[in-house]
Amino acid sequence: MKIVTVIGARPQIIKAAALSRAIKEHFENEVQEVIVHTGQHYDNNMSKVFFDELGIPQPDYNLNVGSASHGVQTAKMIVGIEEILLKEKPDYLVLYGDTNSTLAGAIAASKIHVPIVHIEAGLRSFNKSMPEEINRICCDHCSTLLFSPTATGYQNLINEGFSTGIYHCGDVMYDNSKYFANIADQKSQILDKEELHGVDFVLCTIHRDNNTDQPERLNAIFKALLMISESKTVVLPLHPRTSKLLNVNLEKSLFDKITNNKNIKILPPASFLDMIVLERHAQMVVTDSGGVQKEAFFFQKPCLILRSETEWTEIVECGAAVITDANEERIIESYNKFLENPPHNFPDIFGDGNAAVFICKEMLEKL
Ligand code: UD1
């Protein structure tokens, strides 16, 4: 079986690591994987570092599309992916998640009848103003095999009329967190480097465009973080988009207070192993990222979600996470509640750590 895998954004590189590892360990003689990097993320600390740390084979192709408007970025990727699919003639195109790289792969492959495997299928925020919601709906509806990490995702597919080729298989990100947790503790230097040993800290990430690009939302989030920093260290590995926009969209006095605050550690984007260590040792996680929400849950940390909804509804329903949106009062109130009353209920929502092996077996069987 020959598969072409498309990756491009940071979380996809991480997800793809689980499948590449499963192929290497269990299916080396049966599966050939050709990796295409669209170049959507291109900074070393948004891309290369993950290949090095997670042991992913170097991409066979790099489209180097870089940053551009949604239309230009996606269009360049479609052209490049189509060319590669015509040349490689794979049995499947494997796509992850909900980024512009996912959408481009779905459009390119479906038009030339290459069957698509969508990993992380069925997730819905029911908020079509998010580019990711459009990307994941389009990709699901072009796919032949759809692997959903959660029961809710699987049910969403049934509700949309799917009846064949759909699976509830667990989460490849959980595979990775389980596999790398101890390795990360041994290899990562981040706690030493940032002097975080024995420090109670809150880990925060912010990168969604509606938070970074809307000044009122960004200011509300940072006002809340400023308040939290009065009693706790706040560690903020920042996405390049957010770093670029802090001094543009934050009120000047707030920007000064944040950047001159010894309790707020603004860091460059963290590597995967550093991020896992930060998540494992944080007291609480505050984030607008889908992946970081889940990883907080994997490591049994309470999580505040800086969005108006989440695709990972189960983690809210069981009380491990709260949707605070970019609302200053709600963030602080939920933060205080979790400090007084940390959650204890972390049920098995994301499978058993073997999702990637299951996916490989099903792809082979359905060939
Ligand atoms: C993308 C995905 C999002 C995913 C996120 C993870 C889409 C629509 N969104 O969002 O689903 O959660 O990745 O990180 O695909 N930039 C750099 N260096 C880089 C990469 C980006 O400076 O290596 C800057 C550029 O200014 C760029 C901006 O970040 O314009 C946004 O990058 P983009 O690829 O458009 O989307 P993300 O916000 O990263």
Side-chain angles (χ1 to χ4, degrees):
M1 177 172 83
K2 181 177 187 180
I3 62 173
V4 168
T5 298
V6 170
I7 52 184
R10 174 170 62 176
Q12 288 166 327
I13 302 169
I14 296 168
K15 287 166 199 163
L19 199 77
S20 296
R21 193 169 62 247
I23 293 171
K24 195 166 155 211
E25 289 178 2
H26 302 280
F27 305 95
E28 204 161 30
N29 299 326
E30 294 146 277
V31 183
Q32 182 198 351
E33 183 181 32
V34 175
I35 298 181
V36 179
H37 192 328
T38 62
Q40 176 170 352
H41 284 173
Y42 44 87
D43 286 343
N44 273 348
N45 57 18
M46 294 291 285
S47 175
K48 184 173 178 302
V49 64
F50 299 102
F51 284 89
D52 299 345
E53 276 190 350
L54 299 171
I56 310 169
Q58 283 307 307
D60 299 275
Y61 298 91
N62 195 324
L63 302 177
N64 292 313
V65 297
S67 300
S69 67
H70 287 287
V72 171
Q73 190 181 54
T74 310
K76 283 185 181 168
M77 293 177 194
I78 294 173
V79 174
I81 295 169
E82 182 185 63
E83 217 170 275
I84 294 165
L85 292 176
L86 290 171
K87 181 171 158 219
E88 294 286 348
K89 299 185 177 50
D91 294 298
Y92 294 112
L93 176 70
V94 178
L95 299 172
Y96 292 91
D98 57 18
T99 71
N100 289 341
S101 300
T102 315
L103 175 66
I107 293 172
S110 57
K111 302 274 178 175
I112 53 174
H113 312 295
V114 174
I116 296 168
V117 173
H118 189 201
I119 299 179
E120 211 178 70
L123 276 301
R124 297 290 182 266
S125 64
F126 302 100
N127 172 2
K128 284 192 181 159
S129 68
M130 285 175 73
E132 292 84 357
E133 183 76 352
I134 305 298
N135 294 345
R136 55 170 86 103
I137 292 173
C138 291
C139 182
D140 278 343
H141 285 264
C142 295
S143 295
T144 301
L145 299 181
L146 297 91
F147 292 97
S148 180
T150 60
T152 305
Y154 182 80
Q155 188 57 45
N156 288 338
L157 292 173
I158 291 177
N159 295 348
E160 287 175 27
F162 288 90
S163 56
T164 55
I166 57 174
Y167 304 86
H168 170 205
C169 67
D171 197 317
V172 290
M173 284 188 62
Y174 184 52
D175 295 11
N176 277 337
S177 290
K178 259 184 108 167
Y179 183 85
F180 285 107
N182 291 332
I183 299 174
D185 264 348
Q186 284 157 22
K187 289 198 174 164
S188 166
Q189 306 291 320
I190 190 87
L191 297 181
D192 291 333
K193 199 167 148 229
E194 299 303 332
E195 299 176 343
L196 288 168
H197 280 291
V199 175
D200 272 348
F201 66 90
V202 169
L203 176 66
C204 178
T205 75
I206 303 159
H207 80 277
R208 295 230 161 257
D209 57 2
N210 72 332
N211 283 334
T212 58
D213 302 3
Q214 294 185 31
E216 63 286 11
R217 292 181 64 91
L218 198 65
N219 279 284
I221 293 169
F222 274 91
K223 279 181 191 159
L225 292 178
L226 190 63
M227 179 77 102
I228 292 172
S229 76
E230 285 174 13
S231 54
K232 287 265 184 291
T233 299
V234 177
V235 179
L236 256 169
L238 274 196
H239 186 289
R241 173 210 288 285
T242 321
S243 304
K244 283 178 203 161
L245 287 169
L246 274 193
N247 66 349
V248 180
N249 284 340
L250 282 190
E251 290 157 16
K252 170 90 176 70
S253 63
L254 183 59
F255 177 80
D256 291 343
K257 281 184 197 151
I258 295 289
T259 47
N260 295 317
N261 187 324
K262 66 176 180 14
N263 275 351
I264 299 185
K265 285 179 182 284
I266 296 187
L267 312 181
S271 74
F272 183 67
L273 298 187
D274 286 351
M275 197 61 193
I276 283 201
V277 167
L278 289 172
E279 287 161 351
R280 285 184 95 185
H281 292 267
Q283 193 174 14
M284 202 180 302
V285 173
V286 180
T287 188
D288 62 6
S289 152
V292 177
Q293 282 171 48
K294 278 190 294 183
E295 285 166 350
F297 184 88
F298 301 158
F299 298 121
Q300 309 208 339
K301 304 295 174 175
C303 179
L304 308 184
I305 301 170
L306 302 172
R307 290 175 44 195
S308 54
E309 74 286 300
T310 179
E311 300 78 20
W312 312 106
T313 48
E314 291 95 336
I315 68 173
V316 176
E317 282 155 15
C318 75
V322 174
I323 293 174
T324 61
D325 207 359
N327 179 311
E328 184 187 347
E329 287 76 39
R330 223 179 298 156
I331 297 170
I332 293 168
E333 189 196 337
S334 307
Y335 166 77
N336 286 327
K337 272 197 190 148
F338 268 149
L339 273 192
E340 278 163 32
N341 228 336
H344 296 291
N345 183 24
F346 294 89
D348 274 347
I349 294 166
F350 296 99
D352 59 3
N354 290 306
V357 172
F358 176 88
I359 291 168
C360 284
K361 277 189 191 153
E362 284 305 314
M363 284 197 290
L364 282 162
E365 199 160 296
K366 293 290 175 305
L367 204 58

